[in-house]
Amino acid sequence: MRPPERQDFDAFADFCADATTMRFLGGPKSRSAAWRVFTTIAGAWTIEGYSYWSVIARDTGRWVGRVGPWQPEGWPGTEVAWGVAPEFAGQGYAHEAAVAAMDYAVDVLGWSHLIHTIHPDNAPSIRLAQRLGSINEGPTSLPDPLGDFRVDAWGQSADRWRARRAAA
């Protein structure tokens, strides 16, 4: 995992254009719309000092997805979010990266509570949230222009996360 770099954009744009991947993330995006999201993520690194990392496959150097701490203005909480390209789904990348991102959010950023905003029909992300030890804390709202998205906040306290980590 590393902050996004210019060379990641083509794979990121493909990720954003994929209808299945983007089903619960606002729908497919054009390349120019994907660029604006990509630069927002990169800009958050400069302004906030954290954002999504690019997840890179060690063996091939290919861009796998984006995972990391996320809390733009008006967000309903301190989120660790994930998304992987369809060819990497179900291979453990999202879990491994989400664990590292949650550790970072708790240990480095000092967040006391972690959420994942997930559409109620997004079964794969719900399963990952449950595997991470998060519970459904109920419906929440995202800020404009995402206010019409249906999402639940899956979350847990930093203490719960530390206890799970220590037991593992």
Side-chain angles (χ1 to χ4, degrees):
M1 295 183 347
R2 58 162 170 70
E5 298 177 358
R6 176 64 174 92
Q7 70 218 31
D8 301 337
F9 178 66
D10 287 337
F12 183 85
D14 290 345
F15 168 87
C16 288
D18 184 80
T20 301
T21 299
M22 297 302 290
R23 177 176 173 210
F24 301 114
L25 299 173
K29 293 182 179 20
S30 67
R31 188 170 173 87
S32 62
W35 176 255
R36 288 188 292 279
V37 173
F38 186 76
T39 57
T40 296
I41 291 167
W45 275 101
T46 300
I47 294 169
E48 295 291 341
Y50 63 86
S51 184
Y52 294 120
W53 286 281
S54 285
V55 178
I56 307 298
R58 287 185 193 114
D59 57 344
T60 64
R62 290 183 61 204
W63 188 88
V64 171
R66 48 98 177 130
V67 176
W70 188 242
Q71 190 187 22
E73 179 65 29
W75 214 248
T78 46
E79 180 168 24
V80 170
W82 52 80
V84 297
E87 62 267 31
F88 296 103
Q91 297 180 36
Y93 287 102
H95 179 261
E96 181 180 346
V99 166
M102 290 176 74
D103 283 346
Y104 184 86
V106 168
D107 297 339
V108 176
L109 299 178
W111 290 359
S112 61
H113 190 259
L114 306 170
I115 66 166
H116 324 290
T117 56
I118 303 173
H119 188 283
D121 296 334
N122 188 344
S125 280
I126 290 170
R127 282 192 301 272
L128 178 53
Q130 291 170 327
R131 187 173 172 201
L132 294 167
S134 294
I135 58 170
N136 190 338
E137 297 175 341
T140 192
S141 298
L142 301 177
D144 287 332
L146 309 173
D148 292 337
F149 287 14
R150 284 181 48 219
V151 293
D152 290 334
W154 286 77
Q156 64 185 292
S157 69
D159 289 340
R160 178 182 168 114
W161 176 250
R162 285 185 196 99
R164 286 182 56 83
R165 187 173 56 192

